[in-house]
């Protein structure tokens, strides 16, 4: 199976073309903004590097969040535009599952807590369990919470020891139950493709997972700078 996979949900922009467990072409950039200008040229570059055309591909995989609101919109809009142009199905994978899978692929077993920096003093969190064969299952739904709630949440989930992974591991130093750490700066698009390969667009639709509202909000007066002034 050949999959075009890309991630713009975090502090970067990454694209790969993947075939049956092998990365045929890869482009990555570290950035906190500007993904809209970089993503399409990077997609064109990996297609050129791989020598594959659209008719050679089977699917598109994209991260659906949680993450940067603007970054998510960039990736999802690109995925939807490409599926309209090519007819390829789009498969959505959460950022949290991708980080958990990368930790399991690195050999971590048992409870895995994914922690992603949500800004505004919060973390996006989700616990998973990796069995002895690397099989992965979620232990609870994703949520947003401040650092001081992590230890009580682990207790509520019945987790006494866990590996913490994601881009916010440094924020959780000192929590006794987190006995191992696997920091990750970004989602690997090859891991994204591997997860998507076992799913259909119906099973994993490309619908954004925001968890909380975006930072930007529409003013109560509808965006006017001042109340209407009556005219003569």
């Amino acid at each position: 199976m050949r999959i075009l996979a890309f991630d713009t949900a975090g502090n970067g922009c990454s694209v790969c073309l993947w075939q049956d467990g092998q990365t045929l072409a890869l482009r990555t950039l570290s950035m906190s903004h500007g993904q809209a200008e970089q993503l399409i040229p990077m997609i064109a570059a990996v297609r050129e590097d791989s020598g594959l055309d659209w008719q050679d591909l089977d699917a598109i995989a994209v991260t659906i969040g949680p993450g940067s609101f603007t970054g998510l919109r960039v990736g999802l809009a690109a995925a939807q535009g490409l599926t309209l142009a090519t007819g390829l199905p789009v498969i959505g994978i959460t950022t949290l599952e991708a980080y958990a899978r990368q930790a399991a692929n690195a050999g971590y077993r048992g409870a895995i807590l994914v922690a992603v920096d949500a800004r505004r003093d919060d973390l996006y969190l989700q616990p998973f369990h990796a069995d002895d064969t690397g099989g992965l299952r979620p232990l609870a739904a994703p949520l947003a919470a401040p650092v001081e709630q992590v230890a009580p949440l682990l207790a509520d989930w019945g987790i006494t020891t866990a590996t913490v992974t994601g881009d916010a591991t440094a924020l959780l130093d000192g929590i006794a139950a987190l006995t191992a750490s696997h920091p990750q700066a970004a989602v690997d698009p090859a891991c994204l493709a591997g997860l998507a390969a076992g799913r259909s667009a119906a099973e994993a639709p490309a619908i954004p997972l925001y968890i909380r509202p975006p930072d930007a909000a529409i003013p109560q007066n509808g965006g006017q700078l001042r109340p209407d002034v009556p005219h003569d």
Side-chain angles (χ1 to χ4, degrees), residues 107-179:
Y108 291 91
R109 297 292 182 262
I112 296 174
L113 177 67
V114 180
V116 174
D117 191 353
R119 309 294 188 262
R120 295 194 297 181
D121 301 320
D122 276 352
L123 303 174
Y124 295 127
L125 302 167
Q126 189 174 16
F128 293 81
H129 183 271
D131 63 27
D132 291 342
T133 65
L136 197 66
R137 61 181 175 88
L139 298 177
L143 54 81
V147 171
E148 58 267 23
Q149 288 186 12
V150 172
L153 282 168
L154 290 168
D156 289 345
W157 293 326
I159 296 173
T160 56
T161 60
T163 296
V164 61
T165 192
D167 67 8
T169 58
L171 299 177
L172 299 179
D173 286 346
I175 295 178
L178 300 177
T179 55

XYZ file of all heavy atoms in Angstrom, residues 107-179:
528
model
N 9.971 0.425 21.623
C 10.159 -0.655 22.586
C 9.515 -0.457 23.937
O 9.625 -1.327 24.806
N 8.830 0.666 24.149
C 8.197 0.906 25.448
C 6.923 0.070 25.558
O 6.152 -0.043 24.606
C 7.895 2.392 25.627
C 9.152 3.214 25.781
C 9.771 3.778 24.662
C 9.745 3.391 27.024
C 10.941 4.510 24.788
C 10.915 4.125 27.157
C 11.509 4.680 26.039
O 12.669 5.395 26.167
N 6.711 -0.506 26.739
C 5.573 -1.380 26.980
C 4.849 -0.950 28.258
O 5.369 -0.192 29.062
C 6.035 -2.838 27.109
C 6.671 -3.399 25.841
C 5.640 -3.534 24.730
N 6.196 -4.102 23.506
C 6.592 -3.374 22.471
N 6.527 -2.042 22.522
N 7.051 -3.957 21.385
N 3.639 -1.474 28.430
C 2.838 -1.098 29.586
C 2.132 0.222 29.347
O 1.841 0.603 28.206
N 1.848 0.942 30.430
C 1.130 2.210 30.322
C 2.015 3.282 29.690
O 3.183 3.438 30.062
C 0.660 2.662 31.695
N 1.446 3.998 28.731
C 2.138 5.098 28.050
C 1.234 6.324 28.132
O 0.091 6.289 27.661
C 2.427 4.760 26.578
C 3.393 3.575 26.473
C 2.995 5.976 25.844
C 3.610 3.079 25.043
N 1.731 7.385 28.748
C 0.983 8.638 28.815
C 1.527 9.597 27.767
O 2.699 9.967 27.809
C 1.103 9.275 30.198
C 0.411 10.641 30.333
C -1.104 10.496 30.225
C 0.801 11.326 31.635
N 0.676 9.988 26.835
C 1.074 10.985 25.833
C 0.732 12.365 26.374
O -0.397 12.612 26.818
C 0.360 10.746 24.497
C 0.799 11.797 23.477
C 0.654 9.348 23.975
N 1.720 13.262 26.341
C 1.540 14.635 26.819
C 2.026 15.596 25.743
O 3.195 15.569 25.352
C 2.313 14.858 28.115
N 1.113 16.425 25.260
C 1.416 17.401 24.216
C 1.147 18.792 24.774
O 0.115 19.024 25.413
C 0.552 17.147 22.964
C 0.758 18.241 21.923
C 0.876 15.781 22.369
N 2.074 19.702 24.546
C 1.934 21.067 25.058
C 0.766 21.764 24.363
O 0.776 21.951 23.145
C 3.236 21.836 24.816
C 3.267 23.166 25.548
O 2.242 23.561 26.136
O 4.334 23.815 25.525
N -0.248 22.139 25.145
C -1.431 22.803 24.600
C -1.376 24.314 24.781
O -2.340 25.007 24.452
C -2.688 22.256 25.273
N -0.257 24.824 25.320
C -0.120 26.245 25.628
C -1.159 26.635 26.687
O -1.867 25.815 27.216
C -0.252 27.114 24.375
C 0.641 26.668 23.219
C 2.121 26.835 23.536
N 2.952 26.582 22.371
C 3.554 25.423 22.131
N 3.395 24.421 22.968
N 4.311 25.268 21.062
N -1.222 27.877 27.030
C -2.156 28.385 28.042
C -2.122 27.538 29.321
O -3.147 27.289 29.956
C -3.583 28.450 27.487
C -3.747 29.449 26.358
C -5.197 29.736 26.055
N -5.922 28.565 25.595
C -7.202 28.575 25.246
N -7.896 29.695 25.312
N -7.792 27.476 24.833
N -0.919 27.032 29.685
C -0.715 26.275 30.927
C -1.425 24.924 30.952
O -1.617 24.339 32.019
C -1.155 27.097 32.150
C -0.394 28.401 32.275
O 0.822 28.381 32.023
O -1.012 29.426 32.605
N -1.822 24.414 29.799
C -2.492 23.118 29.724
C -1.663 22.123 28.921
O -0.772 22.501 28.149
C -3.860 23.246 29.048
C -4.949 23.679 30.015
O -4.677 23.727 31.226
O -6.061 23.973 29.553
N -2.001 20.852 29.099
C -1.457 19.771 28.289
C -2.614 19.010 27.657
O -3.676 18.869 28.255
C -0.648 18.795 29.152
C 0.517 19.343 29.962
C 1.087 18.243 30.845
C 1.588 19.899 29.048
N -2.393 18.507 26.450
C -3.288 17.504 25.893
C -2.763 16.151 26.350
O -1.574 15.846 26.187
C -3.302 17.559 24.367
C -3.865 18.832 23.792
C -3.142 19.581 22.865
C -5.129 19.287 24.157
C -3.657 20.744 22.322
C -5.650 20.459 23.623
C -4.909 21.178 22.708
O -5.418 22.332 22.177
N -3.643 15.329 26.911
C -3.230 14.070 27.520
C -4.095 12.915 27.027
O -5.292 13.085 26.780
C -3.365 14.142 29.045
C -2.594 15.236 29.782
C -3.102 15.352 31.212
C -1.101 14.936 29.766
N -3.474 11.743 26.908
C -4.231 10.509 26.720
C -3.351 9.329 27.116
O -2.198 9.232 26.683
C -4.710 10.326 25.282
C -5.684 9.144 25.145
C -6.295 9.015 23.771
O -5.815 9.599 22.798
N -7.368 8.238 23.664
N -3.883 8.427 27.959
C -3.125 7.231 28.327
C -3.428 6.066 27.381
O -4.568 5.888 26.935
C -3.632 6.927 29.738
C -5.063 7.389 29.711
C -5.120 8.557 28.753
N -2.396 5.276 27.102
C -2.512 4.083 26.270
C -1.846 2.916 26.990
O -1.088 3.111 27.948
C -1.813 4.288 24.919
C -2.460 5.304 24.023
C -2.223 6.658 24.196
C -3.302 4.907 22.991
C -2.818 7.599 23.365
C -3.898 5.839 22.154
C -3.655 7.187 22.343
N -2.106 1.712 26.507
C -1.391 0.532 26.996
C -0.809 -0.204 25.803
O -1.518 -0.508 24.836
C -2.313 -0.407 27.769
C -1.591 -1.594 28.333
N -1.421 -2.772 27.632
C -0.957 -1.771 29.522
C -0.735 -3.624 28.363
N -0.440 -3.043 29.517
N 0.499 -0.467 25.872
C 1.181 -1.259 24.849
C 1.438 -2.648 25.410
O 2.091 -2.788 26.454
C 2.491 -0.597 24.445
N 0.918 -3.676 24.733
C 1.120 -5.034 25.235
C 2.483 -5.575 24.813
O 3.280 -4.871 24.182
C -0.022 -5.953 24.793
C -0.111 -6.130 23.280
O 0.923 -5.999 22.588
O -1.218 -6.412 22.781
N 2.758 -6.823 25.153
C 4.083 -7.397 24.917
C 4.442 -7.472 23.440
O 5.622 -7.531 23.080
C 4.170 -8.793 25.540
C 4.162 -8.754 27.058
O 4.435 -7.665 27.612
O 3.868 -9.790 27.686
N 3.438 -7.491 22.566
C 3.708 -7.551 21.130
C 3.712 -6.165 20.485
O 3.898 -6.049 19.278
C 2.658 -8.424 20.425
O 1.363 -7.805 20.545
C 2.609 -9.818 21.031
N 3.483 -5.124 21.292
C 3.429 -3.772 20.752
C 2.036 -3.322 20.374
O 1.856 -2.201 19.890
N 1.040 -4.182 20.589
C -0.337 -3.778 20.340
C -0.728 -2.632 21.255
O -0.352 -2.608 22.434
N -1.489 -1.695 20.729
C -1.767 -0.454 21.448
C -3.273 -0.261 21.595
O -4.033 -0.472 20.650
C -1.171 0.715 20.666
C -0.968 2.045 21.373
C 0.086 1.930 22.470
C -0.548 3.111 20.356
N -3.692 0.147 22.801
C -5.100 0.485 23.002
C -5.198 1.678 23.950
O -4.392 1.822 24.881
C -5.881 -0.700 23.574
C -5.408 -1.187 24.932
C -6.225 -2.379 25.415
N -5.701 -2.914 26.665
C -6.058 -2.490 27.870
N -6.956 -1.508 27.981
N -5.534 -3.028 28.965
N -6.179 2.552 23.741
C -6.353 3.696 24.642
C -6.965 3.255 25.962
O -7.804 2.351 26.001
C -7.302 4.611 23.867
C -8.072 3.685 22.980
C -7.127 2.576 22.613
N -6.553 3.894 27.048
C -7.100 3.603 28.372
C -8.151 4.625 28.794
O -8.896 4.381 29.748
C -5.976 3.572 29.408
C -4.910 2.497 29.210
C -3.816 2.630 30.263
C -5.527 1.100 29.251
N -8.195 5.761 28.126
C -9.174 6.806 28.434
C -9.245 7.743 27.237
O -8.385 7.707 26.347
C -8.784 7.574 29.695
N -10.263 8.571 27.220
C -10.426 9.538 26.136
C -9.423 10.681 26.289
O -8.971 10.978 27.398
C -11.847 10.090 26.142
N -9.063 11.338 25.198
C -8.157 12.485 25.293
C -8.811 13.653 26.017
O -10.037 13.825 25.975
C -7.858 12.829 23.834
C -9.007 12.275 23.066
C -9.456 11.055 23.800
N -7.983 14.452 26.684
C -8.490 15.619 27.402
C -7.399 16.666 27.516
O -6.227 16.404 27.231
C -9.004 15.218 28.789
C -8.062 14.436 29.724
C -7.073 15.351 30.430
C -8.871 13.674 30.764
N -7.788 17.859 27.945
C -6.844 18.935 28.240
C -6.877 19.198 29.733
O -7.952 19.271 30.337
C -7.208 20.198 27.471
N -5.692 19.328 30.351
C -5.619 19.535 31.795
C -4.315 20.238 32.144
O -3.320 20.095 31.431
C -5.704 18.203 32.536
N -4.287 20.979 33.255
C -3.040 21.594 33.708
C -2.107 20.550 34.312
O -2.535 19.450 34.689
C -3.503 22.604 34.762
C -4.796 22.060 35.259
C -5.437 21.372 34.095
N -0.841 20.908 34.425
C 0.174 19.978 34.923
C -0.190 19.430 36.296
O -0.012 18.233 36.572
C 1.552 20.676 34.965
C 2.577 19.815 35.691
C 2.033 20.989 33.558
N -0.732 20.277 37.171
C -1.006 19.835 38.542
C -2.103 18.778 38.625
O -2.267 18.128 39.664
C -1.361 21.028 39.431
C -2.541 21.850 38.974
C -2.135 23.023 38.099
O -1.038 22.969 37.495
O -2.916 23.986 38.019
N -2.842 18.572 37.555
C -3.883 17.539 37.569
C -3.406 16.193 37.030
O -4.150 15.214 37.075
C -5.094 18.010 36.755
C -5.892 19.110 37.419
C -7.167 19.437 36.658
O -7.582 18.705 35.758
N -7.789 20.547 37.014
N -2.175 16.134 36.538
C -1.711 14.897 35.902
C -1.612 13.756 36.908
O -2.085 12.638 36.651
C -0.369 15.125 35.184
C 0.206 13.797 34.685
C -0.562 16.089 34.013
N -0.994 13.991 38.063
C -0.870 12.921 39.061
C -2.240 12.407 39.519
O -2.455 11.182 39.569
C -0.039 13.402 40.250
N -3.211 13.278 39.853
C -4.539 12.768 40.198
C -5.212 12.004 39.056
O -5.912 11.012 39.296
C -5.328 14.033 40.554
C -4.297 15.022 40.974
C -3.106 14.731 40.122
N -5.006 12.444 37.822
C -5.591 11.732 36.686
C -5.004 10.328 36.555
O -5.732 9.357 36.303
C -5.356 12.518 35.396
C -6.270 13.718 35.164
C -5.746 14.579 34.022
C -7.697 13.259 34.869
N -3.692 10.209 36.721
C -3.067 8.888 36.662
C -3.669 7.962 37.715
O -3.944 6.781 37.447
C -1.556 9.011 36.854
C -0.777 9.653 35.698
C 0.642 9.988 36.137
C -0.752 8.733 34.486
N -3.892 8.492 38.912
C -4.507 7.691 39.972
C -5.932 7.293 39.595
O -6.350 6.145 39.800
C -4.492 8.472 41.285
N -6.685 8.228 39.022
C -8.057 7.920 38.600
C -8.077 6.826 37.539
O -9.011 6.010 37.498
C -8.731 9.173 38.045
C -9.053 10.203 39.120
O -9.018 9.843 40.315
O -9.326 11.365 38.760
N -7.074 6.817 36.672
C -7.000 5.810 35.613
C -6.421 4.484 36.113
O -6.342 3.519 35.350
C -6.145 6.327 34.456
C -6.750 7.478 33.712
C -8.075 7.697 33.470
C -6.049 8.577 33.108
N -8.244 8.859 32.746
C -7.020 9.425 32.508
C -4.702 8.930 33.003
C -6.679 10.592 31.832
C -4.361 10.094 32.330
C -5.345 10.917 31.746
N -5.996 4.438 37.370
C -5.413 3.219 37.927
C -4.003 2.948 37.452
O -3.537 1.802 37.484
N -3.295 3.990 37.032
C -1.931 3.842 36.518
C -0.938 4.162 37.631
O -0.912 5.281 38.150
C -1.698 4.775 35.310
C -2.618 4.371 34.153
C -0.238 4.740 34.874
C -2.579 5.325 32.978
N -0.123 3.185 37.998
C 0.874 3.390 39.054
C 2.274 3.607 38.495
O 3.116 4.234 39.154
C 0.894 2.191 40.008
O 1.130 0.990 39.256
C -0.435 2.072 40.746
N 2.546 3.071 37.302
C 3.820 3.320 36.618
C 3.531 3.490 35.133
O 2.708 2.767 34.566
C 4.826 2.161 36.804
O 4.269 0.954 36.284
C 5.191 1.991 38.265
N 4.231 4.430 34.517
C 3.987 4.693 33.096
C 5.198 5.364 32.477
O 6.021 5.983 33.165
C 2.759 5.582 32.914
N 5.281 5.248 31.166
C 6.227 6.021 30.363
C 5.496 7.249 29.847
O 4.374 7.144 29.346
C 6.726 5.193 29.166
O 7.446 4.066 29.639
C 7.624 6.028 28.260
N 6.111 8.410 29.970
C 5.519 9.617 29.409
C 6.229 9.933 28.098
O 7.451 9.819 27.982
C 5.605 10.810 30.393
C 7.045 11.157 30.742
C 4.888 12.026 29.818
N 5.449 10.295 27.088
C 6.009 10.600 25.777
C 5.273 11.785 25.176
O 4.250 12.233 25.692
C 5.922 9.368 24.854
O 6.719 9.589 23.687
C 4.487 9.079 24.434
N 5.799 12.311 24.076
C 5.226 13.489 23.442
C 6.197 14.652 23.504
O 7.374 14.482 23.843
N 5.691 15.859 23.205
C 6.576 17.027 23.176
C 6.576 17.813 24.481
O 7.191 18.874 24.569
C 6.221 17.940 21.997
C 4.859 18.611 22.126
O 4.226 18.515 23.195
O 4.418 19.247 21.148
N 5.875 17.297 25.516
C 5.782 18.028 26.786
C 6.289 17.206 27.962
O 5.913 17.454 29.107
C 4.340 18.457 27.032
N 7.156 16.240 27.713
C 7.631 15.376 28.794
C 8.381 16.163 29.867
O 8.292 15.840 31.052
C 8.547 14.273 28.242
O 9.647 14.884 27.552
C 7.801 13.367 27.273
N 9.112 17.200 29.468
C 9.903 17.966 30.437
C 9.025 18.677 31.458
O 9.486 18.984 32.565
C 10.781 18.982 29.712
N 7.774 18.935 31.100
C 6.869 19.626 32.018
C 6.356 18.715 33.124
O 5.737 19.189 34.079
C 5.677 20.196 31.241
C 6.011 21.229 30.157
C 4.745 21.645 29.418
C 6.696 22.446 30.771
N 6.614 17.407 33.000
C 6.075 16.447 33.962
C 7.159 15.790 34.810
O 6.917 14.755 35.427
C 5.258 15.382 33.222
C 4.048 15.929 32.454
C 3.315 14.811 31.734
C 3.099 16.666 33.384
N 8.341 16.381 34.848
C 9.400 15.867 35.716
C 8.934 15.894 37.172
O 8.289 16.845 37.618
C 10.665 16.726 35.580
C 11.391 16.485 34.266
O 11.066 15.492 33.596
O 12.259 17.303 33.906
N 9.254 14.844 37.903
C 8.944 14.822 39.327
C 7.667 14.096 39.690
O 7.378 13.928 40.879
N 6.884 13.655 38.701
C 5.679 12.882 38.999
C 6.084 11.426 39.194
O 6.627 10.788 38.288
C 4.637 13.029 37.881
C 4.156 14.486 37.818
C 3.457 12.086 38.111
C 3.155 14.762 36.722
N 5.834 10.900 40.389
C 6.382 9.600 40.787
C 5.949 8.462 39.872
O 6.732 7.541 39.600
C 5.980 9.296 42.228
N 4.719 8.502 39.394
C 4.212 7.396 38.573
C 4.850 7.348 37.191
O 4.799 6.309 36.524
C 2.694 7.495 38.435
N 5.445 8.451 36.760
C 6.063 8.495 35.431
C 7.521 8.070 35.566
O 8.413 8.881 35.786
C 5.924 9.898 34.835
C 4.472 10.373 34.673
C 4.424 11.794 34.138
C 3.686 9.427 33.765
N 7.742 6.773 35.456
C 9.043 6.184 35.759
C 9.985 6.142 34.563
O 11.159 5.797 34.713
C 8.854 4.763 36.304
O 8.075 4.003 35.366
C 8.126 4.798 37.648
